[in-house]
Amino acid sequence: MRAATQRCSNHPARPAFAVCMACAKPLCQQCATQWDGIWHCAKCLAAKRGSSQIGSHFGGWLALIFSSLLLLYVSARMMVWAGALLSGMF
Amino acid sequence: MIHAPLSTTSVLDESTDIVSMVSAPWAAVVIATSIPYRFMQAVFIDRLLEVGGEASHYGTLLGTTANLAIASFVFALWGRAVFARACRLAAARGAPPGGEAWRVSPVAFGSYLFTGTLAELIFYATLFSGIGTILAAIVGGLAIGTMELNERASIFGAMRLIARYGRELRIITALVLVFGCAFVIGLVNVTATFGFAMWLADVFLGADLSRWSVLFGEHNRRFVLATFAGAWIAIEPFWIAANVVLVRKAGAAETGEDLRVWFEEVRQP
């Protein structure tokens, strides 16, 4: 397996033990931290802890909520449109 | 724990173990939250079939039903998010999770609300094409699998995660096909359960079932639609668990963690 030959991104002498599931960096046992069943590097873990405050990424939240509401609205309209089109075919 | 290298069969094997580990009470959460959505979909199709070719004249009726279905969809997404978290915690610890499975992070749920709705939109927009339905299932599966990997509220971040794990396309497509077959088997089982209950009532209670047999027959459109909804609800926990395991194994396979665990197991006498 290609992964078996990977090295820790912080300690090149050590073989990789896990991969940070956020930034995909290979990590040794010392550098890998599991939180809620997910492996993280120290940098991504710090970023995750920081991002737990909703106000820290206001723009991202605004875009996410607006896009989700828009998609929900379009999904409801698409459901009616697809249904009407389908019922017209039979 | 990761027991075997990433493959369709290993994902299915491990997801079955996880579902049996988290079934009480977490499978009940996903089933209870899915029931309103699936049955609202059934009601929508029933009304659609009732109005038939005149559907374009019943926009308000169909629109209201669709709005209710989409509102119940958000509730279903929350139930799926809780179950996916329970599966992830169980996979990491090898034991059923406690109350912490309820604590889905706002970032994870916000991202899943976006990606899950996107998958649903793809499904409705491509209802006429088989490929579109498969694509919607793939996006929807990866959306729940990658949900907890989102670390900040970002549309592009959530999409990037789906694209990253979408590289395992062969396995994901195989899973979609397997669950397509499971849906058919679920359908047969749900129908057979009603038939068996009717037979038991007839044989052991001697009940007059002439009315009930009409109600639970294939000629009753509402029963058929409810059976479809029930079959999908029955396999949904397995579908979610399979996607969580797939993403977890895909992440671990890149590091050789699966090999490390396997060597440890081999070393033990």
Side-chain angles (χ1 to χ4, degrees):
Chain A
M1 288 187 94
R2 78 193 141 99
T5 59
Q6 283 188 330
R7 298 270 155 191
C8 174
S9 58
N10 301 324
H11 306 96
R14 298 178 187 171
F17 162 78
V19 69
C20 172
M21 291 186 86
C23 66
K25 267 187 200 166
L27 304 164
C28 65
Q29 249 175 324
Q30 190 191 336
C31 300
T33 309
Q34 203 177 42
W35 191 30
D36 273 355
I38 301 168
W39 291 111
H40 289 89
C41 65
K43 195 178 164 190
C44 292
L45 193 61
K48 191 177 173 78
R49 290 177 71 182
S51 68
S52 60
Q53 293 156 354
I54 291 179
S56 61
H57 302 291
F58 185 72
W61 271 106
L62 204 64
L64 202 61
I65 290 168
F66 178 75
S67 312
S68 301
L69 289 176
L70 185 69
L71 285 180
L72 285 168
Y73 175 78
V74 176
S75 294
R77 300 282 74 79
M78 189 61 76
M79 198 172 169
V80 176
W81 175 81
L85 199 64
L86 202 65
S87 66
M89 286 169 69
F90 300 102
Chain B
M1 294 295 278
I2 289 146
H3 295 289
L6 181 61
S7 68
T8 310
T9 44
S10 69
V11 168
L12 290 171
D13 280 349
E14 287 174 35
S15 60
T16 311
D17 290 345
I18 287 171
V19 171
S20 65
M21 213 188 296
V22 300
S23 57
W26 306 110
V29 172
V30 73
I31 289 170
T33 52
S34 280
I35 284 173
Y37 177 52
R38 295 297 168 201
F39 282 96
M40 277 313 296
Q41 279 184 316
V43 168
F44 180 79
I45 297 169
D46 180 55
R47 287 187 175 170
L48 203 61
L49 294 171
E50 209 163 290
V51 297
E54 301 292 310
S56 54
H57 300 299
Y58 291 90
T60 310
L61 174 76
L62 295 174
T64 308
T65 316
N67 288 343
L68 286 171
I70 293 299
S72 54
F73 172 65
V74 177
F75 184 52
L77 287 182
W78 175 75
R80 288 183 209 172
V82 170
F83 186 73
R85 181 169 163 77
C87 288
R88 179 173 288 284
L89 291 172
R93 297 172 187 174
E100 67 269 36
W102 291 111
R103 291 193 286 273
V104 178
S105 78
V107 172
F109 183 66
S111 305
Y112 182 49
L113 181 63
F114 171 72
T115 51
T117 312
L118 181 67
E120 207 65 9
L121 179 60
I122 293 172
F123 173 72
Y124 290 123
T126 60
L127 204 57
F128 303 99
S129 65
I131 297 290
T133 310
I134 292 172
L135 178 72
I138 290 171
V139 173
L142 286 173
I144 189 72
T146 58
M147 176 194 77
E148 286 211 278
L149 303 183
N150 287 287
E151 295 186 337
R152 56 176 58 200
S154 162
I155 295 169
F156 299 110
M159 299 295 290
R160 254 198 308 274
L161 275 171
I162 289 180
R164 186 198 293 176
Y165 289 93
R167 282 181 300 187
E168 306 292 345
L169 192 62
R170 189 177 54 81
I171 296 172
I172 301 164
T173 312
L175 281 180
V176 170
L177 296 177
V178 167
F179 276 91
C181 297
F183 174 72
V184 175
I185 294 165
L187 201 58
V188 171
N189 275 287
V190 171
T191 313
T193 305
F194 277 99
F196 185 61
M198 296 270 287
W199 177 80
L200 283 179
D202 184 27
V203 171
F204 293 104
L205 300 177
D208 176 21
L209 299 172
S210 52
R211 286 185 182 176
W212 289 96
S213 59
V214 173
L215 196 65
F216 294 140
E218 71 272 17
H219 300 297
N220 180 2
R221 189 178 65 214
R222 287 176 183 163
F223 172 70
V224 174
L225 288 172
T227 312
F228 272 82
W232 185 248
I233 289 168
I235 63 164
E236 200 158 1
F238 293 92
W239 169 244
I240 294 168
N243 281 286
V244 170
V245 170
L246 170 77
V247 169
R248 185 175 158 75
K249 283 176 77 73
E254 287 174 14
T255 66
E257 188 199 17
D258 47 350
L259 282 180
R260 185 186 62 77
V261 172
W262 183 66
F263 278 130
E264 273 179 8
E265 285 177 354
V266 168
R267 266 193 220 146
Q268 284 170 1

mmCIF file of all heavy atoms in Angstrom, chain B residues 154-184:
data_model
loop_
_atom_site.group_PDB
_atom_site.id
_atom_site.type_symbol
_atom_site.label_atom_id
_atom_site.label_comp_id
_atom_site.label_asym_id
_atom_site.label_seq_id
_atom_site.Cartn_x
_atom_site.Cartn_y
_atom_site.Cartn_z
ATOM 1 N N SER B 154 -18.504 26.647 5.634
ATOM 2 C CA SER B 154 -18.071 27.034 4.294
ATOM 3 C C SER B 154 -18.729 26.132 3.252
ATOM 4 O O SER B 154 -18.692 24.906 3.386
ATOM 5 C CB SER B 154 -16.538 26.917 4.202
ATOM 6 O OG SER B 154 -16.128 26.870 2.861
ATOM 7 N N ILE B 155 -19.307 26.754 2.256
ATOM 8 C CA ILE B 155 -19.944 25.992 1.177
ATOM 9 C C ILE B 155 -18.882 25.202 0.416
ATOM 10 O O ILE B 155 -19.031 24.006 0.158
ATOM 11 C CB ILE B 155 -20.664 26.950 0.202
ATOM 12 C CG1 ILE B 155 -21.804 27.661 0.907
ATOM 13 C CG2 ILE B 155 -21.179 26.217 -1.020
ATOM 14 C CD1 ILE B 155 -22.380 28.798 0.119
ATOM 15 N N PHE B 156 -17.790 25.896 0.084
ATOM 16 C CA PHE B 156 -16.751 25.260 -0.739
ATOM 17 C C PHE B 156 -16.001 24.178 0.044
ATOM 18 O O PHE B 156 -15.588 23.175 -0.521
ATOM 19 C CB PHE B 156 -15.789 26.317 -1.299
ATOM 20 C CG PHE B 156 -16.499 27.303 -2.184
ATOM 21 C CD1 PHE B 156 -16.681 28.610 -1.771
ATOM 22 C CD2 PHE B 156 -17.018 26.914 -3.406
ATOM 23 C CE1 PHE B 156 -17.362 29.516 -2.567
ATOM 24 C CE2 PHE B 156 -17.709 27.812 -4.213
ATOM 25 C CZ PHE B 156 -17.879 29.118 -3.789
ATOM 26 N N GLY B 157 -15.825 24.423 1.350
ATOM 27 C CA GLY B 157 -15.160 23.424 2.195
ATOM 28 C C GLY B 157 -15.942 22.107 2.198
ATOM 29 O O GLY B 157 -15.363 21.023 2.065
ATOM 30 N N ALA B 158 -17.270 22.225 2.338
ATOM 31 C CA ALA B 158 -18.128 21.023 2.357
ATOM 32 C C ALA B 158 -18.074 20.309 1.007
ATOM 33 O O ALA B 158 -18.003 19.074 0.946
ATOM 34 C CB ALA B 158 -19.562 21.437 2.695
ATOM 35 N N MET B 159 -18.071 21.087 -0.069
ATOM 36 C CA MET B 159 -18.028 20.496 -1.420
ATOM 37 C C MET B 159 -16.667 19.832 -1.683
ATOM 38 O O MET B 159 -16.585 18.788 -2.319
ATOM 39 C CB MET B 159 -18.269 21.575 -2.494
ATOM 40 C CG MET B 159 -19.608 22.254 -2.390
ATOM 41 S SD MET B 159 -20.964 21.131 -2.690
ATOM 42 C CE MET B 159 -20.760 20.832 -4.400
ATOM 43 N N ARG B 160 -15.608 20.473 -1.167
ATOM 44 C CA ARG B 160 -14.252 19.932 -1.347
ATOM 45 C C ARG B 160 -14.120 18.568 -0.679
ATOM 46 O O ARG B 160 -13.501 17.650 -1.218
ATOM 47 C CB ARG B 160 -13.217 20.901 -0.763
ATOM 48 C CG ARG B 160 -12.438 21.667 -1.833
ATOM 49 C CD ARG B 160 -11.170 22.269 -1.270
ATOM 50 N NE ARG B 160 -11.379 23.064 -0.076
ATOM 51 C CZ ARG B 160 -11.712 24.347 -0.080
ATOM 52 N NH1 ARG B 160 -11.880 24.988 -1.217
ATOM 53 N NH2 ARG B 160 -11.848 25.015 1.046
ATOM 54 N N LEU B 161 -14.711 18.460 0.520
ATOM 55 C CA LEU B 161 -14.649 17.175 1.242
ATOM 56 C C LEU B 161 -15.367 16.079 0.453
ATOM 57 O O LEU B 161 -14.873 14.955 0.356
ATOM 58 C CB LEU B 161 -15.291 17.321 2.624
ATOM 59 C CG LEU B 161 -14.390 17.863 3.730
ATOM 60 C CD1 LEU B 161 -15.212 18.156 4.974
ATOM 61 C CD2 LEU B 161 -13.282 16.875 4.059
ATOM 62 N N ILE B 162 -16.514 16.423 -0.113
ATOM 63 C CA ILE B 162 -17.262 15.439 -0.917
ATOM 64 C C ILE B 162 -16.423 15.029 -2.127
ATOM 65 O O ILE B 162 -16.333 13.846 -2.454
ATOM 66 C CB ILE B 162 -18.633 16.018 -1.338
ATOM 67 C CG1 ILE B 162 -19.538 16.093 -0.111
ATOM 68 C CG2 ILE B 162 -19.287 15.178 -2.436
ATOM 69 C CD1 ILE B 162 -20.911 16.638 -0.363
ATOM 70 N N ALA B 163 -15.775 16.021 -2.750
ATOM 71 C CA ALA B 163 -14.943 15.729 -3.937
ATOM 72 C C ALA B 163 -13.750 14.856 -3.548
ATOM 73 O O ALA B 163 -13.382 13.927 -4.271
ATOM 74 C CB ALA B 163 -14.471 17.026 -4.569
ATOM 75 N N ARG B 164 -13.169 15.125 -2.366
ATOM 76 C CA ARG B 164 -11.991 14.361 -1.942
ATOM 77 C C ARG B 164 -12.329 12.881 -1.747
ATOM 78 O O ARG B 164 -11.628 11.997 -2.221
ATOM 79 C CB ARG B 164 -11.427 14.931 -0.632
ATOM 80 C CG ARG B 164 -10.108 14.251 -0.253
ATOM 81 C CD ARG B 164 -9.743 14.444 1.200
ATOM 82 N NE ARG B 164 -9.421 15.826 1.524
ATOM 83 C CZ ARG B 164 -9.146 16.232 2.764
ATOM 84 N NH1 ARG B 164 -9.166 15.376 3.758
ATOM 85 N NH2 ARG B 164 -8.871 17.489 3.002
ATOM 86 N N TYR B 165 -13.436 12.631 -1.043
ATOM 87 C CA TYR B 165 -13.809 11.235 -0.786
ATOM 88 C C TYR B 165 -14.549 10.613 -1.970
ATOM 89 O O TYR B 165 -14.712 9.403 -2.032
ATOM 90 C CB TYR B 165 -14.604 11.128 0.514
ATOM 91 C CG TYR B 165 -13.703 11.359 1.701
ATOM 92 C CD1 TYR B 165 -13.557 12.615 2.269
ATOM 93 C CD2 TYR B 165 -12.931 10.324 2.199
ATOM 94 C CE1 TYR B 165 -12.687 12.841 3.313
ATOM 95 C CE2 TYR B 165 -12.060 10.535 3.250
ATOM 96 C CZ TYR B 165 -11.932 11.793 3.802
ATOM 97 O OH TYR B 165 -11.061 12.014 4.833
ATOM 98 N N GLY B 166 -14.975 11.465 -2.908
ATOM 99 C CA GLY B 166 -15.621 10.972 -4.131
ATOM 100 C C GLY B 166 -14.642 10.237 -5.032
ATOM 101 O O GLY B 166 -15.037 9.614 -6.015
ATOM 102 N N ARG B 167 -13.349 10.300 -4.701
ATOM 103 C CA ARG B 167 -12.344 9.579 -5.500
ATOM 104 C C ARG B 167 -12.531 8.067 -5.387
ATOM 105 O O ARG B 167 -12.090 7.325 -6.233
ATOM 106 C CB ARG B 167 -10.930 9.970 -5.058
ATOM 107 C CG ARG B 167 -10.523 11.319 -5.610
ATOM 108 C CD ARG B 167 -9.129 11.680 -5.185
ATOM 109 N NE ARG B 167 -8.993 11.740 -3.732
ATOM 110 C CZ ARG B 167 -7.923 12.165 -3.084
ATOM 111 N NH1 ARG B 167 -6.883 12.567 -3.772
ATOM 112 N NH2 ARG B 167 -7.870 12.201 -1.783
ATOM 113 N N GLU B 168 -13.200 7.632 -4.314
ATOM 114 C CA GLU B 168 -13.484 6.191 -4.153
ATOM 115 C C GLU B 168 -14.768 5.853 -4.908
ATOM 116 O O GLU B 168 -15.631 5.145 -4.394
ATOM 117 C CB GLU B 168 -13.636 5.851 -2.657
ATOM 118 C CG GLU B 168 -12.494 6.274 -1.771
ATOM 119 C CD GLU B 168 -11.225 5.482 -2.052
ATOM 120 O OE1 GLU B 168 -11.318 4.442 -2.715
ATOM 121 O OE2 GLU B 168 -10.142 5.935 -1.639
ATOM 122 N N LEU B 169 -14.875 6.360 -6.126
ATOM 123 C CA LEU B 169 -16.133 6.273 -6.881
ATOM 124 C C LEU B 169 -16.587 4.834 -7.119
ATOM 125 O O LEU B 169 -17.782 4.532 -7.075
ATOM 126 C CB LEU B 169 -15.974 7.007 -8.224
ATOM 127 C CG LEU B 169 -17.274 7.249 -8.977
ATOM 128 C CD1 LEU B 169 -18.228 8.126 -8.185
ATOM 129 C CD2 LEU B 169 -16.995 7.886 -10.329
ATOM 130 N N ARG B 170 -15.623 3.949 -7.363
ATOM 131 C CA ARG B 170 -15.961 2.555 -7.662
ATOM 132 C C ARG B 170 -16.704 1.907 -6.479
ATOM 133 O O ARG B 170 -17.742 1.272 -6.653
ATOM 134 C CB ARG B 170 -14.661 1.789 -7.952
ATOM 135 C CG ARG B 170 -14.827 0.399 -8.478
ATOM 136 C CD ARG B 170 -13.469 -0.198 -8.786
ATOM 137 N NE ARG B 170 -12.549 -0.155 -7.649
ATOM 138 C CZ ARG B 170 -12.551 -1.047 -6.643
ATOM 139 N NH1 ARG B 170 -13.393 -2.040 -6.652
ATOM 140 N NH2 ARG B 170 -11.691 -0.939 -5.647
ATOM 141 N N ILE B 171 -16.175 2.135 -5.288
ATOM 142 C CA ILE B 171 -16.787 1.542 -4.095
ATOM 143 C C ILE B 171 -18.130 2.212 -3.790
ATOM 144 O O ILE B 171 -19.102 1.540 -3.434
ATOM 145 C CB ILE B 171 -15.829 1.651 -2.891
ATOM 146 C CG1 ILE B 171 -14.572 0.830 -3.175
ATOM 147 C CG2 ILE B 171 -16.482 1.180 -1.606
ATOM 148 C CD1 ILE B 171 -13.472 0.998 -2.183
ATOM 149 N N ILE B 172 -18.167 3.525 -3.971
ATOM 150 C CA ILE B 172 -19.412 4.251 -3.664
ATOM 151 C C ILE B 172 -20.526 3.798 -4.611
ATOM 152 O O ILE B 172 -21.664 3.556 -4.184
ATOM 153 C CB ILE B 172 -19.199 5.781 -3.783
ATOM 154 C CG1 ILE B 172 -18.106 6.240 -2.815
ATOM 155 C CG2 ILE B 172 -20.487 6.522 -3.495
ATOM 156 C CD1 ILE B 172 -17.571 7.618 -3.108
ATOM 157 N N THR B 173 -20.193 3.661 -5.896
ATOM 158 C CA THR B 173 -21.198 3.218 -6.872
ATOM 159 C C THR B 173 -21.662 1.798 -6.537
ATOM 160 O O THR B 173 -22.857 1.496 -6.623
ATOM 161 C CB THR B 173 -20.621 3.268 -8.302
ATOM 162 O OG1 THR B 173 -19.992 4.537 -8.478
ATOM 163 C CG2 THR B 173 -21.692 3.106 -9.358
ATOM 164 N N ALA B 174 -20.711 0.945 -6.145
ATOM 165 C CA ALA B 174 -21.071 -0.424 -5.763
ATOM 166 C C ALA B 174 -22.032 -0.405 -4.570
ATOM 167 O O ALA B 174 -23.006 -1.153 -4.528
ATOM 168 C CB ALA B 174 -19.817 -1.223 -5.425
ATOM 169 N N LEU B 175 -21.756 0.492 -3.601
ATOM 170 C CA LEU B 175 -22.637 0.604 -2.431
ATOM 171 C C LEU B 175 -24.041 1.037 -2.843
ATOM 172 O O LEU B 175 -25.034 0.509 -2.331
ATOM 173 C CB LEU B 175 -22.069 1.625 -1.436
ATOM 174 C CG LEU B 175 -20.931 1.159 -0.532
ATOM 175 C CD1 LEU B 175 -20.495 2.297 0.377
ATOM 176 C CD2 LEU B 175 -21.344 -0.029 0.316
ATOM 177 N N VAL B 176 -24.115 1.993 -3.779
ATOM 178 C CA VAL B 176 -25.429 2.468 -4.250
ATOM 179 C C VAL B 176 -26.199 1.308 -4.874
ATOM 180 O O VAL B 176 -27.397 1.116 -4.601
ATOM 181 C CB VAL B 176 -25.271 3.640 -5.257
ATOM 182 C CG1 VAL B 176 -26.597 3.969 -5.924
ATOM 183 C CG2 VAL B 176 -24.730 4.871 -4.559
ATOM 184 N N LEU B 177 -25.516 0.501 -5.680
ATOM 185 C CA LEU B 177 -26.180 -0.638 -6.329
ATOM 186 C C LEU B 177 -26.610 -1.687 -5.301
ATOM 187 O O LEU B 177 -27.709 -2.233 -5.388
ATOM 188 C CB LEU B 177 -25.262 -1.255 -7.389
ATOM 189 C CG LEU B 177 -24.933 -0.333 -8.568
ATOM 190 C CD1 LEU B 177 -23.959 -0.995 -9.514
ATOM 191 C CD2 LEU B 177 -26.193 0.085 -9.318
ATOM 192 N N VAL B 178 -25.735 -1.937 -4.316
ATOM 193 C CA VAL B 178 -26.075 -2.904 -3.254
ATOM 194 C C VAL B 178 -27.312 -2.430 -2.500
ATOM 195 O O VAL B 178 -28.241 -3.213 -2.234
ATOM 196 C CB VAL B 178 -24.882 -3.101 -2.284
ATOM 197 C CG1 VAL B 178 -25.314 -3.828 -1.017
ATOM 198 C CG2 VAL B 178 -23.765 -3.866 -2.957
ATOM 199 N N PHE B 179 -27.343 -1.136 -2.181
ATOM 200 C CA PHE B 179 -28.494 -0.621 -1.430
ATOM 201 C C PHE B 179 -29.739 -0.533 -2.307
ATOM 202 O O PHE B 179 -30.861 -0.586 -1.790
ATOM 203 C CB PHE B 179 -28.151 0.712 -0.758
ATOM 204 C CG PHE B 179 -27.463 0.495 0.559
ATOM 205 C CD1 PHE B 179 -26.084 0.421 0.636
ATOM 206 C CD2 PHE B 179 -28.199 0.310 1.718
ATOM 207 C CE1 PHE B 179 -25.448 0.175 1.845
ATOM 208 C CE2 PHE B 179 -27.575 0.067 2.923
ATOM 209 C CZ PHE B 179 -26.191 -0.002 2.990
ATOM 210 N N GLY B 180 -29.570 -0.417 -3.621
ATOM 211 C CA GLY B 180 -30.712 -0.502 -4.542
ATOM 212 C C GLY B 180 -31.351 -1.881 -4.431
ATOM 213 O O GLY B 180 -32.582 -2.011 -4.342
ATOM 214 N N CYS B 181 -30.512 -2.917 -4.392
ATOM 215 C CA CYS B 181 -31.012 -4.300 -4.230
ATOM 216 C C CYS B 181 -31.631 -4.462 -2.841
ATOM 217 O O CYS B 181 -32.681 -5.103 -2.692
ATOM 218 C CB CYS B 181 -29.877 -5.308 -4.402
ATOM 219 S SG CYS B 181 -29.166 -5.269 -6.045
ATOM 220 N N ALA B 182 -30.970 -3.868 -1.823
ATOM 221 C CA ALA B 182 -31.488 -3.972 -0.441
ATOM 222 C C ALA B 182 -32.868 -3.330 -0.342
ATOM 223 O O ALA B 182 -33.731 -3.823 0.397
ATOM 224 C CB ALA B 182 -30.524 -3.291 0.527
ATOM 225 N N PHE B 183 -33.076 -2.259 -1.111
ATOM 226 C CA PHE B 183 -34.375 -1.588 -1.105
ATOM 227 C C PHE B 183 -35.467 -2.534 -1.615
ATOM 228 O O PHE B 183 -36.548 -2.632 -1.031
ATOM 229 C CB PHE B 183 -34.309 -0.324 -1.960
ATOM 230 C CG PHE B 183 -35.633 0.366 -2.131
ATOM 231 C CD1 PHE B 183 -36.218 1.042 -1.072
ATOM 232 C CD2 PHE B 183 -36.305 0.324 -3.336
ATOM 233 C CE1 PHE B 183 -37.460 1.659 -1.218
ATOM 234 C CE2 PHE B 183 -37.538 0.935 -3.496
ATOM 235 C CZ PHE B 183 -38.113 1.611 -2.430
ATOM 236 N N VAL B 184 -35.158 -3.239 -2.697
ATOM 237 C CA VAL B 184 -36.123 -4.190 -3.277
ATOM 238 C C VAL B 184 -36.423 -5.302 -2.256
ATOM 239 O O VAL B 184 -37.589 -5.662 -2.038
ATOM 240 C CB VAL B 184 -35.588 -4.787 -4.601
ATOM 241 C CG1 VAL B 184 -36.534 -5.853 -5.138
ATOM 242 C CG2 VAL B 184 -35.383 -3.688 -5.629
#
